[in-house]
């Protein structure tokens, strides 16, 4: 969809639909009050009839409002003015987009951006508007034989910011929002695509396609033979149980100074996780197609970076494989040797994410990274700990952890830190190898990160466990595109195009 900035007097705006907010108890927002005045009280007379009093969730479409140049006015309830904040702003934007998309208007102007919630600058309000609208318009219907065509879809949305002129910083808001939303949509698409279509090879081809979009992006895909030469015995032990060959996808983006240390992001690209010989129960196993959402978020972030030509150096790495039971699959008790030389006793073949990640993290060393962030749907335990709202964050560096937490707060794509104390490391003791791949009953998210920490000693590193945040279950089943917003925010802040 196209977004444009609009200013001026609300009653003078020529549009098919003008959206104005009403706070609880019929309190007109400024643009609504301006329309009310121009229409000699039409809006307040309508409100007196009681159909809309401004509660959250209410909306009312008005036609032939006198004294205005728009064809329709959509009044939208915003709830109590005292509680107007960024989360309520996001909800209102999503609702408006849904109503507009279902209406007869293909073009509209929303006055909601003029109502900046406290402590939120205009840049951010506009960027959020774009991201939330795109999120609300997202559909995944490419696997339906007869997708429902949208009758008259919304094509153009004006963002009204008030009567004054725009500060300069605002110019970036719409392109930033569109690029981030594009990255989020890409991550959602890859996540929602089923395991028979979204294979390691498919992910590799998507990465190659990104490479063709930007001269600053070089994409390489290592095959199993090449990984074998590097000694990636942990990663390859997982793909041995699958007929789909594993891929190590490497995306090198150089938008910054040549030789500048890159930020490396590593995403788990497990395109289907049946558990292997430690087979998972049948219920909801289909959702394990989402086990590549970490990798998808890396591709989405790379896409956003290239779209904006961000002046940063970054490398995206996605180890991609399936995890299935097979005569050649890992067996409980098997011992494998990782690229780092450390040996691992595979006590549970379902703890495969850390096996493919550990070799990818060792591979990341060669970039002499400024920081490494890995993103993985790693443990069911993280859903128990944090539910669907926050991603788990574990890190060996307080400054990096702080940066990630702040980027999460700023975007609403939040993380929460868990400890990575040495006390937990002994849970990984093995009688036969350097370590086991599971840490027993307690603190599953932490012991998984402890495992990864044994491969990240040489750089600043953070791990995001997105098991609870990467997708929604139930009737709204679908990928969320998290944490593309958080990752992009870190890069935007690092190159000075936004703050934390
Ligand atoms: N991909 C799963 C983690 C997962 C499970 C994410 C459910 C989201 C929902 C991972 O590969 C896994 O199976 N982890 C095991 C680890 C255990 C064997 C130590 C788990 O969490 O049960
Ligand atoms: Mn698993
Ligand atoms: Zn998994």
């Amino acid at each position: 969809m196209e977004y444009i900035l609009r200013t001026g007097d609300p009653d003078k705006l020529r549009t098919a639909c003008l959206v104005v907010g009403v706070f609880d108890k019929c309190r007109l927002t400024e643009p609504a009050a301006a329309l009310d005045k121009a229409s000699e009280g039409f809006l307040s007379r309508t409100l007196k009839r009681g159909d809309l009093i401004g509660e959250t969730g209410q909306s009312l479409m008005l036609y032939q409002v006198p004294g205005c140049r728009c064809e329709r006015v959509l009044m939208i309830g915003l709830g109590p003015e005292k509680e107007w904040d960024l989360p309520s702003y996001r909800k209102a934007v999503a609702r408006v987009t849904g109503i507009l998309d279902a209406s007869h208007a293909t073009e509209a102007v929303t006055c909601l951006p003029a109502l900046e919630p406290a402590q939120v600058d205009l840049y951010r309000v506009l960027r959020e508007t774009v991201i939330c609208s795109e999120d609300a318009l997202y559909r995944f219907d490419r696997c339906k034989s007869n997708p429902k065509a949208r009758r008259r879809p919304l094509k153009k949305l004006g963002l009204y910011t008030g009567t004054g002129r725009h500060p300069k910083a605002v110019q970036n808001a719409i392109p930033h929002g569109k690029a981030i939303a594009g990255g989020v949509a890409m991550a959602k698409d890859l996540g929602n695509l089923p395991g028979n279509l979204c294979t390691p090879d498919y992910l590799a081809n998507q990465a190659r396609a990104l490479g063709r979009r930007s001269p600053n992006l070089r994409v390489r895909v290592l095959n199993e033979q090449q990984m074998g030469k590097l000694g990636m015995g942990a990663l390859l032990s997982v793909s041995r149980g699958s007929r789909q060959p594993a891929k190590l996808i490497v995306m090198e983006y150089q938008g910054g100074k040549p030789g500048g240390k890159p930020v490396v992001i590593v995403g788990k690209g497990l395109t289907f996780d049946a558990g292997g010989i430690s087979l998972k129960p049948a219920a909801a196993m289909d959702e394990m197609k989402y086990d590549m959402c970490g990798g998808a978020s890396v591709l989405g972030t790379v896409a956003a970076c290239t779209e904006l030509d961000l002046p940063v150096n970054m490398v995206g790495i996605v180890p991609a494989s399936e995890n299935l039971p097979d005569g050649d699959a890992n067996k409980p008790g098997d011992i494998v040797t990782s690229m780092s030389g450390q040996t691992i006793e595979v006590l549970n073949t379902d703890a495969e994410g850390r096996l493919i990640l550990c070799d990818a993290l060792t591979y990341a060393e060669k970039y002499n990274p400024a920081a490494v962030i890995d993103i993985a749907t790693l443990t069911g335990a993280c859903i128990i700990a944090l539910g669907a709202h926050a991603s788990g964050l574990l890190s060996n560096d307080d400054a990096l952890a702080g940066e990630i937490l702040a980027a999460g707060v700023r975007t609403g794509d939040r993380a929460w830190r868990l400890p990575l104390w040495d006390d937990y490391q002994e849970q990984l003791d093995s009688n036969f190898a350097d370590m086991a791949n599971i840490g027993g009953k307690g603190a599953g998210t932490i012991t998984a990160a402890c495992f990864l920490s044994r491969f990240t000693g040489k750089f600043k590193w953070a791990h995001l466990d997105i098991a609870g945040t990467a997708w929604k279950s139930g009737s709204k089943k679908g990928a969320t595109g998290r944490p593309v917003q958080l990752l992009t925010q870190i890069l935007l802040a690092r190159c000075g195009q936004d703050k934390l």
Side-chain angles (χ1 to χ4, degrees):
M1 191 161 67
E2 189 190 342
Y3 298 86
I4 41 168
L5 294 175
R6 299 291 296 263
T7 53
D9 293 324
D11 53 298
K12 307 264 162 49
L13 292 170
R14 220 180 272 285
T15 171
C17 185
L18 188 63
V19 183
V20 295
V22 180
F23 287 119
D24 203 11
K25 305 212 166 73
C26 298
R27 286 201 24 84
L28 294 179
T29 58
E30 239 179 74
L35 284 192
D36 195 41
K37 198 166 164 224
S39 64
E40 290 171 352
F42 187 86
L43 269 63
S44 36
R45 281 200 302 282
T46 308
L47 289 175
K48 285 221 176 75
R49 307 221 178 154
D51 295 69
L52 181 135
I53 60 167
E55 282 172 357
T56 317
Q58 289 186 322
S59 65
L60 193 62
M61 190 74 92
L62 307 178
Y63 300 86
Q64 292 164 343
V65 177
C68 318
R69 298 208 180 143
C70 54
E71 292 165 29
R72 308 169 183 72
V73 171
L74 173 62
M75 289 202 292
I76 190 97
L78 303 177
E81 188 168 7
K82 277 205 302 280
E83 292 164 27
W84 182 241
D85 56 6
L86 194 53
S88 28
Y89 183 78
R90 290 188 182 112
K91 281 179 203 142
V93 169
R95 234 173 39 246
V96 166
T97 310
I99 296 169
L100 290 176
D101 196 46
S103 82
H104 201 67
T106 57
E107 165 275 327
V109 175
T110 170
C111 295
L112 296 188
L115 316 172
E116 294 166 44
Q119 278 137 34
V120 186
D121 51 82
L122 186 56
Y123 160 83
R124 186 141 163 242
V125 165
L126 293 168
R127 197 178 96 177
E128 288 286 345
T129 312
V130 175
I131 294 172
C132 294
S133 300
E134 294 294 318
D135 187 72
L137 291 172
Y138 177 84
R139 303 278 180 284
F140 184 80
D141 50 17
R142 69 164 100 156
C143 295
K144 306 256 191 200
S145 59
N146 210 351
K148 264 188 232 131
R150 302 246 256 299
R151 255 187 341 119
R152 287 174 62 87
L154 189 60
K155 289 210 181 94
K156 192 166 164 185
L157 189 60
L159 310 180
Y160 174 79
T161 58
T163 44
R165 293 170 54 111
H166 300 122
K168 199 153 177 270
V170 162
Q171 296 309 320
N172 278 336
I174 291 175
H176 283 185
K178 286 204 77 168
I180 295 168
V184 167
M186 178 177 192
K188 286 184 188 174
D189 278 347
L190 292 171
N192 288 330
L193 209 59
N196 61 326
L197 302 177
C198 183
T199 58
D201 193 48
Y202 181 89
L203 284 181
N205 284 331
Q206 294 300 301
R208 289 187 183 105
L210 282 182
R212 288 192 288 275
R213 273 183 9 200
S214 165
N216 291 335
L217 182 64
R218 175 165 170 246
V219 176
R220 288 181 300 128
V221 178
L222 275 63
N223 62 26
E224 292 194 339
Q225 199 192 351
Q226 293 164 310
M227 289 187 265
K229 281 207 184 117
L230 290 170
M232 298 190 164
L235 193 162
L236 291 172
S237 78
V238 175
S239 65
R240 265 208 338 269
S242 151
R243 298 190 189 187
Q244 296 289 339
K247 305 282 171 191
L248 186 73
I249 304 165
V250 182
M251 294 164 280
E252 299 166 354
Y253 173 76
Q254 201 187 81
K257 291 195 196 83
K261 289 184 173 193
V263 174
V264 179
I265 53 178
V266 180
K268 174 179 176 183
L270 213 288
T271 58
F272 190 79
D273 182 12
I277 298 300
S278 313
L279 190 63
K280 287 188 181 292
M285 206 210 266
D286 66 289
E287 295 187 12
M288 283 298 113
K289 71 175 182 180
Y290 290 118
D291 211 13
M292 34 56 67
C293 284
S297 75
V298 169
L299 268 88
T301 303
V302 171
C305 267
T306 57
E307 166 103 11
L308 293 173
D309 266 320
L310 286 191
V312 288
N313 293 336
M314 72 100 102
V315 179
I317 302 178
V318 179
S321 172
E322 293 183 328
N323 185 29
L324 294 174
D326 178 85
D328 202 26
N330 268 331
K331 302 174 290 299
D334 282 2
I335 294 177
V336 300
T337 304
S338 67
M339 182 179 172
S340 72
Q342 301 177 93
T343 60
I344 303 159
E345 186 183 14
V346 183
L347 288 175
N348 189 318
T349 68
D350 198 9
E352 85 298 337
R354 57 199 82 180
L355 295 176
I356 67 169
L357 284 169
C358 70
D359 281 340
L361 287 166
T362 302
Y363 187 81
E365 279 178 13
K366 75 173 205 159
Y367 292 103
N368 185 23
V372 177
I373 303 171
D374 80 74
I375 309 100
T377 47
L378 205 62
T379 63
C382 195
I383 311 175
I384 305 299
L386 297 172
H389 302 293
S391 302
L393 168 65
L394 299 102
S395 177
N396 64 13
D397 186 272
D398 289 343
L400 179 61
E403 188 180 348
I404 294 171
L405 290 173
V409 170
R410 186 148 170 89
T411 55
D413 188 355
R414 284 185 295 185
W416 192 255
R417 194 173 181 187
L418 298 171
L420 192 65
W421 297 323
D422 279 343
D423 312 56
Y424 292 98
Q425 290 282 355
E426 66 190 41
Q427 288 182 238
L428 295 171
D429 286 351
S430 157
N431 285 349
F432 306 108
D434 296 342
M435 69 193 88
N437 77 328
I438 53 171
K441 229 172 175 315
T445 303
I446 298 174
T447 55
C450 283
F451 180 95
L452 297 177
S453 77
R454 295 171 182 222
F455 302 83
T456 60
K458 296 201 176 132
F459 40 71
K460 294 177 184 170
W461 159 75
H463 160 65
L464 284 166
D465 194 328
I466 57 166
T469 53
W471 76 90
K472 293 188 180 122
S473 308
S475 66
K476 292 212 174 94
K477 194 191 288 180
T480 60
R482 289 179 71 177
V484 170
Q485 287 201 59
L486 180 151
L487 295 169
T488 316
Q489 184 63 32
I490 290 168
L491 297 167
L492 281 171
R494 281 204 174 215
C495 67
Q497 296 203 3
D498 192 20
K499 50 196 181 216
L500 289 178

